[in-house]
Amino acid sequence: MKQVIHRKLGNNFLRLSLIFLLTFSTSLFAQSGDPVAGKSLFNANCAACHKLDKKMTGPALRNVEERLAESEGLDREWLYAWIKNSPALIKSGDAYANKIYNEYGGAAMTPFPQLSNADIDNILAYTATEATPPPPPVPGTEGQAGQTSGSGISNEIILGALGLLFALLAIALFLVNQTLRRFAEAKGVDLEKTKRTPIWKAFVQNQFLVLVSVIILLLASAYFVYGFLMQVGVNQGYEPVQPIHYSHRIHAGENGIDCKYCHSSARVSKHSGIPSLNVCMNCHKSIYEVAPETQQEGLAEYGVDYNAEIKKLYAAVGWDDAEQKYTGETSPVKWIRIHNLPDFAYFNHSQHVTVAGVECQTCHGPVEEMEIMYQHAPLTMGWCINCHRETNVKVKDNGYYTKIHEQLAKKYGVENLTAAQMGGLECGKCHY
């Protein structure tokens, strides 16, 4: 009887041990690495082609070691060999290495021989971490994407309060008038009612006032007509809503992308050009969503869903994010032009950007701070002329200007020359 009891206890113990091992098998893979260090290594070496929970250039890597062990029977030694030199493993005829190689169109993974086994252990520990849930929405922003937060009193309340104040004041004046009249009647004061000349008749009969009023009216009319005509064709502050929202604040500001990376033709051409959507896809093939904090900021402060705007980009270029390939079905983006000079005015971006070294912000303003791009400067003739009069030409290490600088510096008796002194005010420079 005792032997039977011991045998049952032994069987139960084995069953419990097996259940324990199966329950914690997922965590055993990650016990030999540091997930914090692994995250840094992953971002530096793997993030360009892989995400933890989404297929990109390569497969998703969440719990990759566990999945390979269960489905393919591959251990960590295989992962060491694959990560350090995948082409060699493919060439050796390894079945799974060739399977994954063919599945992704014959694109071999970049070898990382510089990574030690300990580094790979850390990366695998990071891939074995549980997915973190997205942060909760900012209170008060649900259903209010188009509204900006703020606790100030609305203009309607202020105007209503002012209207009520003026109404009370008018009632008070009426009551005071009535009280004074009753007081006068009680004292026997006779309020004489004299017939007064209407004010408009008195004004018409006074020729001096009529003359002065006409002169003032003509001067004021001329001033406003001149101001109106001077604003014809001037679009300073123009801020259209584009078909795909593009935040210069994030791209040029927070991410520090050079303006000329997207507007590359500004260096060599008259026009800065509209960037091809393929330039966008250089990054957004991999960046399919923004950070959760950035997404919440966009919804709360600007009323913009950045991830939805990335989806618009994918639809325009015909990119299937799930399959990570182009479908061939594209649609043009109808961008709205912001800066537009008259046809009779000539402006060459390369002359200013490459030769003169003028920063983009000189004309376009603090682009790196703009959530929505707008026209910062008036771009009028007077504005351009003032810039030519005040801006010194960069002649240092610029052989193009060496000879003419020596001649004009001697002529004007100055060391630094402005664009105006080098012919920047000649009509033919801008009008031809």
Side-chain angles (χ1 to χ4, degrees):
M1 179 65 69
K2 289 183 179 180
Q3 291 179 350
V4 173
I5 293 173
H6 285 302
R7 194 172 299 157
K8 288 183 177 179
L9 289 174
N11 291 335
N12 289 336
F13 179 77
L14 289 174
R15 289 195 187 97
L16 289 173
S17 300
L18 180 61
I19 293 172
F20 178 83
L21 289 173
L22 290 174
T23 303
F24 293 97
S25 61
T26 57
S27 62
L28 290 175
F29 287 111
Q31 287 180 354
S32 58
D34 179 8
V36 176
K39 181 178 181 179
S40 299
L41 289 166
F42 182 91
N43 290 336
N45 300 281
C46 314
C49 299
H50 296 278
K51 295 290 181 185
L52 291 181
D53 301 299
K54 181 178 175 61
K55 175 183 176 182
M56 289 181 54
T57 307
L61 296 184
R62 178 82 67 185
N63 297 320
V64 60
E65 184 179 11
E66 177 192 353
R67 288 188 282 112
L68 288 179
E70 292 178 355
S71 62
E72 304 293 337
L74 302 175
D75 58 10
R76 186 167 292 193
E77 292 298 327
W78 186 91
L79 284 168
Y80 290 156
W82 172 258
I83 294 171
K84 291 182 179 181
N85 194 352
S86 60
L89 196 60
I90 295 170
K91 191 175 181 179
S92 69
D94 183 272
Y96 185 72
N98 281 275
K99 175 185 174 183
I100 201 75
Y101 175 74
N102 294 325
E103 181 180 342
Y104 284 86
M109 191 181 85
T110 303
F112 293 96
Q114 74 277 14
L115 294 179
S116 65
N117 289 352
D119 291 335
I120 297 174
D121 291 341
N122 292 336
I123 294 174
L124 292 174
Y126 171 63
T127 62
T129 57
E130 295 296 327
T132 56
V138 179
T141 60
E142 298 88 345
Q144 300 180 7
Q147 300 178 7
T148 57
S149 59
S151 58
I153 301 175
S154 67
N155 292 334
E156 289 78 5
I157 296 177
I158 295 174
L159 291 174
L162 289 175
L164 180 61
L165 180 63
F166 283 121
L168 292 174
L169 182 60
I171 294 172
L173 290 174
F174 176 77
L175 294 175
V176 169
N177 181 272
Q178 295 297 319
T179 302
L180 290 174
R181 287 182 177 276
R182 286 195 298 267
F183 181 76
E185 290 175 359
K187 294 294 184 180
V189 178
D190 186 19
L191 299 176
E192 297 181 0
K193 296 183 178 180
T194 58
K195 189 176 181 179
R196 298 180 180 179
T197 305
I199 189 170
W200 65 272
K201 281 188 178 181
F203 175 77
V204 172
Q205 292 171 0
N206 192 322
Q207 295 182 356
F208 176 75
L209 283 178
V210 172
L211 178 62
V212 171
S213 299
V214 170
I215 292 174
I216 293 175
L217 180 61
L218 290 175
L219 290 175
S221 301
Y223 173 80
F224 285 109
V225 169
Y226 174 80
F228 172 78
L229 294 177
M230 289 301 294
Q231 291 302 312
V232 174
V234 178
N235 298 316
Q236 187 176 15
Y238 180 49
E239 188 180 24
V241 176
Q242 301 290 356
I244 298 178
H245 181 89
Y246 179 88
S247 173
H248 283 82
R249 177 185 62 85
I250 293 177
H251 292 81
E254 294 181 3
N255 296 331
I257 299 176
D258 192 309
C259 301
K260 294 182 284 293
Y261 175 77
C262 300
H263 301 279
S264 57
S265 57
R267 294 174 293 191
V268 295
S269 171
K270 173 183 175 182
H271 301 286
S272 63
I274 299 175
S276 165
L277 295 183
N278 289 334
V279 176
C280 306
M281 292 301 293
N282 287 342
C283 298
H284 283 287
K285 264 188 177 181
S286 301
I287 304 173
Y288 59 91
E289 63 181 5
V290 299
E293 299 80 9
T294 304
Q295 176 73 349
Q296 290 299 323
E297 180 187 16
L299 291 172
E301 296 189 21
Y302 306 105
V304 178
D305 184 344
Y306 293 127
N307 293 334
E309 300 303 315
I310 295 176
K311 295 293 187 296
K312 291 181 184 178
L313 170 64
Y314 290 167
V317 299
W319 175 254
D320 188 334
D321 187 37
E323 297 297 327
Q324 290 288 298
K325 64 181 182 180
Y326 288 102
T327 63
E329 299 177 1
T330 62
S331 60
V333 179
K334 298 179 181 179
W335 299 108
I336 301 173
R337 185 168 185 169
I338 301 174
H339 304 85
N340 192 16
L341 293 178
D343 292 340
F344 55 78
Y346 175 83
F347 179 85
N348 191 308
H349 271 86
S350 63
Q351 177 70 20
H352 291 78
V353 173
T354 303
V355 179
V358 176
E359 295 293 336
C360 303
Q361 288 80 354
T362 303
C363 300
H364 295 289
V367 176
E368 69 281 358
E369 300 174 4
M370 297 181 185
E371 179 66 24
I372 300 177
M373 187 67 188
Y374 62 89
Q375 183 173 319
H376 173 77
L379 304 183
T380 59
M381 180 175 175
W383 182 81
C384 295
I385 287 176
N386 287 338
C387 184
H388 282 191
R389 285 172 175 164
E390 298 167 359
T391 306
N392 291 327
V393 178
K394 291 178 64 176
V395 295
K396 185 179 179 181
D397 301 326
N398 193 338
Y400 182 83
Y401 287 118
T402 301
K403 184 176 179 180
I404 191 171
H405 174 260
E406 293 174 354
Q407 295 174 349
L408 292 177
K410 187 181 296 182
K411 174 181 177 181
Y412 291 109
V414 294
E415 182 61 28
N416 295 319
L417 293 170
T418 64
Q421 290 172 323
M422 296 188 67
L425 299 186
E426 295 176 7
C427 302
K429 295 289 185 182
C430 303
H431 306 287
Y432 58 97

